[in-house]
Amino acid sequence: MDKPNLPHIVLVVPRGEAVRNFLYSDTLRALHKSARVTVLSVVDDDCFLARFRPWTEDIIPLRQAQEHVLVSWFRYLVHTAHYRWLWSEVAKNLWEWRDALNARGIARWRWRLWKALVFALANRPTLAALTCVERQLTWAMRPNDEFVDLFKRLKPDLVFNCSHIHGEAGELPMKVAKRMGIPIAGFIFSWDNLTSRSRIFVPYDHILVWHEGMRRQLLGLYPNIRPEQVQVTGTPQFDFHFKPEFQLTREELCERIGIDPARPFILYTTGVDQHFPEEHRTVELVARLIQKIEIQPKPQLVVRTYVKGTSAEMKALANAGLPDVVFPPVLWEETWYTPMYEDLSIYSSLVRHAAMSINAASTVSLEFMMLDKPVMNLGFDPPGSKLPRHFRWIRHLLFDHFRPVAESGGVMVARSAEDVRVMLYRGLTRPDEQSAARMTFIKKTFNGTLDGQAGCRVAEHLLALARNRRIDLSEPLKREVANAT
């Protein structure tokens, strides 16, 4: 369909998980109704192209060009200084980890010199100035003019980065678009990003966030961002839990994953093996305790492993044939860590039908709380492990984003194997015991955005932003862009 008078929006998909949030959700289809949409994506296999082409004008492969070593080094310096200034619990833990890694020999002295340099730069005015320098370096030493040429051809009204973090391929096109005078917007991908991930280097005109708490946090960290630039939309990744089309019946789900629909099941979701070492020992503990629990019918354990990092020991455990324990396959395309469309129904149904959740300190806790189901978080090291201080599991419960959950009264926090035994029985036999605290926390945190409509709200905001301003390059910058090639 010819839509020449509609706004043109470019969606930048720099990581596979952003596919779930903005292409599988309602966002892309809602935009298609009222705008011309071009997608720049790191994921470009035939299945991907076939699924989304009906709602786009074009899908263009997004390649990450090799940047100049000076640009990469300088960005890392500013990133590290930002961590030291931020000094969140995650930043402290990373510092401790680096101290342990560089504890001996010449590496120790190099690390001390680096820390001294970083400490000198770790203040708000210096970081703001260094961020401006980083943007100038990125533009002046850009590896090529691919995105200059692309945006001159596409003439977009808005460029939207579907994931501001964990997608380095998206950094350069966003900075080039901004330099060309094109309005740019970004999405704070996850609830921990502001306190546990890199400094935001891209000078976004508009930023979308999960909830009001994240908005206040963002404005506090970046005083150059004005309140009207930040919009609360909710996150589309939770939409699927509230849409009937993504809900399998209990019988359908149990048949797919191979468990008994007449018996309750507990969903254990693992973490990245690098962050949660020796987790297979904890899964073994839970499996043993479930076998001993005096509840009828006997519960089953479903273990959903994390595709970004599953240890060899956990894989061996999955193949060990433990009684009443199932490790269902996770349907992801592992090259880009892209969830398959079919996995949306399976995961949403696992959350919907599980009796309770066990996870160390995960977003899964929020998903169970919003459906008013019991949650057990793990605040002790795996049995038999001897982890150094900087790898101890308790640290995750103290991280800035998760601490409010752990202290909400809406989750159980196990600090020993005995706690796990007691809390398994409590969660299975008294599931409503923490209901009031769960609902109070969720209502206060998300304030009405858990309605299955976050994807549509994102689309509405993007359309409003695109319609508000057309490309208008200043004369000096027009000449600079025109001469770039």
Side-chain angles (χ1 to χ4, degrees):
M1 180 174 63
D2 189 24
K3 303 188 288 186
N5 296 319
L6 296 182
H8 188 186
I9 298 174
V10 173
L11 300 183
V12 178
V13 181
R15 60 186 296 209
E17 285 165 297
V19 171
R20 172 197 61 201
N21 280 21
F22 298 106
L23 304 188
Y24 287 156
S25 77
D26 293 330
T27 301
L28 178 60
R29 288 183 290 276
L31 287 175
H32 173 69
K33 293 177 181 178
S34 303
R36 299 157 53 213
V37 183
T38 296
V39 175
L40 301 184
S41 174
V42 294
V43 185
D44 62 353
D45 60 77
D46 292 339
C47 181
F48 174 91
L49 297 175
R51 179 177 291 277
F52 300 115
R53 196 175 294 285
W55 299 296
T56 65
E57 285 209 338
D58 197 6
I59 300 176
I60 301 171
L62 176 60
R63 310 293 184 212
Q64 183 175 351
Q66 183 66 45
E67 289 190 292
H68 193 285
V69 64
L70 175 62
V71 175
S72 300
W73 178 88
F74 187 81
R75 187 178 300 132
Y76 179 67
L77 172 65
V78 181
H79 158 75
T80 311
H82 174 80
Y83 264 141
R84 186 61 185 85
W85 166 74
L86 182 66
W87 212 230
S88 63
E89 292 303 316
V90 170
K92 293 174 186 177
N93 181 241
L94 288 172
W95 215 259
E96 191 176 33
W97 179 80
R98 291 288 301 274
D99 281 340
L101 191 65
N102 297 284
R104 295 184 179 84
I106 190 67
R108 179 184 182 185
W109 295 105
R110 287 176 178 170
W111 173 232
R112 285 187 174 184
L113 288 172
W114 180 256
K115 286 200 296 185
L117 172 61
V118 164
F119 188 80
L121 303 175
N123 60 82
R124 194 191 293 272
T126 301
L127 285 169
L130 292 175
T131 301
C132 291
V133 173
E134 187 274 340
R135 293 167 186 166
Q136 295 295 330
L137 283 175
T138 300
W139 172 258
M141 306 181 76
R142 61 192 182 280
N144 55 57
D145 286 312
E146 174 185 351
F147 295 115
V148 173
D149 296 337
L150 179 65
F151 292 139
K152 286 171 68 176
R153 176 171 64 84
L154 295 178
K155 296 180 173 60
D157 297 291
L158 179 74
V159 180
F160 176 61
N161 188 354
C162 296
S163 177
H164 84 292
I165 201 68
H166 287 328
E168 293 182 10
E171 290 272 315
L172 185 59
M174 300 308 298
K175 290 174 182 174
V176 169
K178 176 69 174 182
R179 188 82 181 193
M180 295 175 67
I182 303 168
I184 62 173
F187 181 73
I188 305 298
F189 194 81
S190 190
W191 60 325
D192 67 327
N193 287 172
L194 294 174
T195 55
S196 67
R197 296 295 182 263
S198 173
R199 184 172 181 82
I200 298 176
F201 289 101
V202 176
Y204 292 108
D205 298 298
H206 307 279
I207 299 178
L208 309 184
V209 297
W210 285 25
H211 52 66
E212 182 61 33
M214 288 177 65
R215 182 176 182 271
R216 291 194 300 269
Q217 189 176 56
L218 176 66
L219 294 172
L221 292 174
Y222 299 91
N224 59 304
I225 299 176
R226 301 185 307 278
E228 61 268 23
Q229 292 178 267
V230 187
Q231 300 293 330
V232 174
T233 60
T235 176
Q237 78 181 68
F238 294 151
D239 282 359
F240 307 105
H241 294 303
F242 301 95
K243 290 184 174 294
E245 61 266 34
F246 293 101
Q247 301 303 323
L248 303 174
T249 66
R250 183 181 185 86
E251 289 71 23
E252 289 172 330
L253 172 68
C254 292
E255 182 179 0
R256 287 198 189 189
I257 65 176
I259 61 174
D260 184 351
R263 297 164 56 193
F265 71 89
I266 298 163
L267 180 62
Y268 186 117
T269 47
T270 69
V272 179
D273 55 352
Q274 288 184 324
H275 299 309
F276 298 94
E278 302 196 50
E279 190 168 12
H280 66 285
R281 296 174 181 268
T282 302
V283 174
E284 288 178 310
L285 168 68
V286 172
R288 289 197 304 271
L289 291 174
I290 288 176
Q291 282 297 303
K292 296 178 181 179
I293 200 166
E294 295 181 357
I295 295 177
Q296 294 298 328
K298 183 78 72 175
Q300 306 159 97
L301 183 64
V302 176
V303 183
R304 183 174 165 98
T305 54
Y306 200 68
V307 294
K308 288 186 177 180
T310 301
S311 67
E313 293 84 358
M314 187 69 77
K315 292 177 181 178
L317 188 64
N319 295 320
L322 296 177
D324 295 323
V325 180
V326 173
F327 287 74
V330 182
L331 304 181
W332 281 53
E333 198 286 310
E334 294 190 16
T335 302
W336 301 107
Y337 297 122
T338 307
M340 296 182 184
Y341 190 78
E342 296 74 16
D343 189 65
L344 300 174
S345 295
I346 292 175
Y347 178 64
S348 295
S349 301
L350 282 170
V351 176
R352 177 73 56 178
H353 296 299
M356 63 181 291
S357 165
I358 301 177
N359 65 86
S362 167
T363 308
V364 180
S365 295
L366 298 179
E367 293 171 302
F368 270 76
M369 291 176 79
M370 64 182 67
L371 295 184
D372 197 18
K373 289 174 172 284
V375 177
M376 184 197 305
N377 294 136
L378 302 169
F380 66 101
D381 295 341
S385 63
K386 295 181 180 180
L387 304 180
R389 176 183 170 84
H390 56 280
F391 277 145
R392 296 192 64 191
W393 280 33
I394 187 63
R395 73 195 196 281
H396 292 276
L397 300 181
L398 303 177
F399 286 167
D400 301 65
H401 69 285
F402 202 86
R403 190 166 192 157
V405 176
E407 295 178 349
S408 69
V411 300
M412 300 174 285
V413 178
R415 301 181 186 277
S416 66
E418 175 61 15
D419 281 352
V420 173
R421 184 188 70 79
V422 171
M423 290 174 183
L424 279 170
Y425 189 85
R426 178 185 175 191
L428 292 169
T429 61
R430 303 194 300 275
D432 297 330
E433 193 170 86
Q434 294 177 296
S435 177
R438 287 194 292 263
M439 293 297 94
T440 296
F441 177 83
I442 290 297
K443 182 178 180 180
K444 181 180 178 181
T445 301
F446 290 97
N447 193 28
T449 61
L450 297 174
D451 55 1
Q453 299 300 313
C456 287
R457 276 192 295 275
V458 169
E460 289 170 2
H461 280 290
L462 296 183
L463 286 167
L465 296 175
R467 288 167 175 158
N468 186 51
R469 180 181 170 194
R470 299 282 175 172
I471 302 172
D472 183 20
L473 304 182
S474 65
E475 286 304 320
L477 194 52
K478 282 182 181 178
R479 290 194 294 272
E480 183 179 3
V481 171
N483 295 331
T485 55

